[in-house]
């Protein structure tokens, strides 16, 4: 899997790529993540990447030229192009699974007040990570990249994501570790019983209980 990220703020990705699971996935060559500065693709003599909107209005608009040229420089026959925008389809775990099977993903981070509408003509999908406005698509691109990378075979132990919240539209069950009694709060007896059937039953009940209390909308999807 290869992910090319097009951004005006490449430095924002430095820590993201050099810490924890993402760092290890890159080292193990499970994923290749390349960051490209959109500004490197402008033909403007002053390196401008944005301009005023036709028709007037506040804010600057990202021009199509540098984005088109950047995408053309990195795309091949297997590329899937994603635009990060609050106007996109709301992202979820199902989409993360589907993207984790792609060979090559190109993510365009929108910025400033907006981007020229013609950029939409070269993207396969538009993704929003939630109903709120970020200053740019960079954090959203990291969210999507992170959620995809952990699902790639061999990045984390298989069982670790089989029980994830949202698989089967159920939230995760509660988990405990040592000590058995922490400031009077005890680990439920069933988890110490060694009886696997009862443990699985308890966990499933807790998943349903928790989903019903916190995210009844998920149960309706089941
Ligand atoms: N850019 C700004 N806000 C965003 C959001 N909520 N999702 C994706 N990209 C964005």
């Amino acid at each position: 899997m290869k992910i090319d990220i097009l951004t005006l703020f490449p430095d924002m990705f430095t820590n993201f790529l050099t810490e924890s699971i993402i760092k290890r996935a890159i080292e193990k060559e499970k994923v290749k993540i390349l960051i490209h500065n959109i500004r490197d693709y402008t033909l403007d003599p002053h390196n401008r990447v944005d301009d005023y909107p036709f028709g007037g209005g506040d804010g600057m608009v990202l021009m199509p030229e540098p984005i088109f040229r950047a995408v053309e420089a990195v795309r091949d026959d297997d590329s899937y192009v994603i635009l990060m925008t609050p106007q996109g389809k709301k992202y979820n775990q199902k989409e993360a699974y589907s993207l984790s099977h792609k060979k090559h993903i190109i993510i365009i981070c929108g910025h400033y007040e907006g981007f020229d509408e013609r950029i939409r003509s070269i993207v396969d999908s538009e993704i929003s990570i939630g109903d709120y406005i970020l200053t740019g698509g960079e954090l959203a691109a990291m969210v999507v990249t992170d959620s995809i990378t952990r699902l790639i075979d061999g990045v984390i132990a298989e069982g670790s994501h089989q029980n994830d919240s949202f698989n089967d539209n159920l939230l995760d069950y509660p988990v405990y570790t040592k000590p058995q009694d922490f400031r009077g709060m005890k680990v439920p007896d069933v988890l110490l019983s060694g009886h696997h059937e009862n443990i699985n039953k308890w966990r499933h009940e807790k998943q349903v209980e928790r989903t019903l209390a916190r995210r009844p909308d998920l149960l309706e999807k089941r």
Side-chain angles (χ1 to χ4, degrees):
M1 153 86 75
K2 185 175 166 212
I3 304 177
D4 284 290
I5 301 176
L6 315 184
T7 171
L8 285 168
F9 301 98
D11 291 348
M12 283 181 75
F13 292 86
T14 310
N15 289 348
F16 172 64
L17 297 179
T18 54
E19 298 283 351
S20 187
I21 291 172
I22 302 298
K23 175 188 173 184
R24 268 186 279 134
I26 294 168
E27 283 170 357
K28 285 201 276 176
E29 298 185 359
K30 300 289 176 195
V31 66
K32 203 169 176 180
I33 304 175
L34 303 175
I35 311 297
H36 307 269
N37 192 337
I38 293 169
R39 209 173 285 282
D40 293 342
Y41 294 90
T42 176
L43 294 176
D44 183 273
H46 305 292
N47 276 350
R48 293 191 65 158
V49 290
D50 58 354
D51 215 323
Y52 296 101
F54 282 123
D58 287 334
M60 303 294 270
V61 177
L62 213 47
M63 293 188 287
E65 177 95 67
I67 302 282
F68 270 60
R69 293 188 72 239
V71 170
E72 283 155 9
V74 295
R75 98 177 312 161
D76 58 36
D77 292 344
D78 296 315
S79 307
Y80 187 79
V81 184
I82 298 171
L83 178 64
M84 301 313 307
T85 161
Q87 296 171 20
K89 186 169 170 231
K90 187 102 67 79
Y91 193 60
N92 60 23
Q93 188 66 8
K94 191 166 165 241
E95 189 65 20
Y97 270 107
S98 150
L99 292 176
S100 72
H101 296 117
K102 301 263 184 230
K103 265 194 177 156
H104 181 211
I105 293 174
I106 299 170
I107 304 181
I108 306 169
C109 305
H111 224 277
Y112 299 111
E113 305 298 318
F115 45 82
D116 189 287
E117 188 66 18
R118 290 163 290 190
I119 289 168
R120 292 204 146 95
S121 68
I122 52 164
V123 311
D124 297 302
S125 92
E126 298 182 24
I127 293 180
S128 161
I129 60 161
D131 291 340
Y132 42 81
I133 311 294
L134 301 164
T135 54
E138 283 72 16
L139 287 172
M142 286 185 232
V143 166
V144 168
T145 303
D146 185 286
S147 62
I148 297 171
T149 301
R150 67 187 285 285
L151 294 177
I152 297 171
D153 277 351
V155 170
I156 57 172
E158 183 82 359
S160 306
H161 63 76
Q162 268 165 8
N163 292 326
D164 280 347
S165 286
F166 306 118
N167 287 350
D168 303 327
N169 284 313
L170 283 178
L171 297 182
D172 224 347
Y173 50 76
V175 292
Y176 297 83
T177 185
K178 289 173 190 155
Q180 285 185 21
D181 183 339
F182 178 67
R183 300 186 181 182
M185 294 180 278
K186 296 198 172 63
V187 175
D189 287 339
V190 62
L191 298 178
L192 309 172
S193 67
H195 193 301
H196 291 294
E197 205 175 302
N198 283 354
I199 292 173
N200 287 341
K201 191 165 160 270
W202 180 87
R203 284 180 168 167
H204 184 71
E205 279 165 15
K206 289 291 164 196
Q207 283 191 284
V208 175
E209 211 174 88
R210 188 164 270 197
T211 311
L212 197 59
R214 299 180 185 198
R215 293 292 305 275
D217 56 301
L218 291 178
L219 286 179
E220 279 159 28
K221 288 192 196 151
R222 273 167 71 84

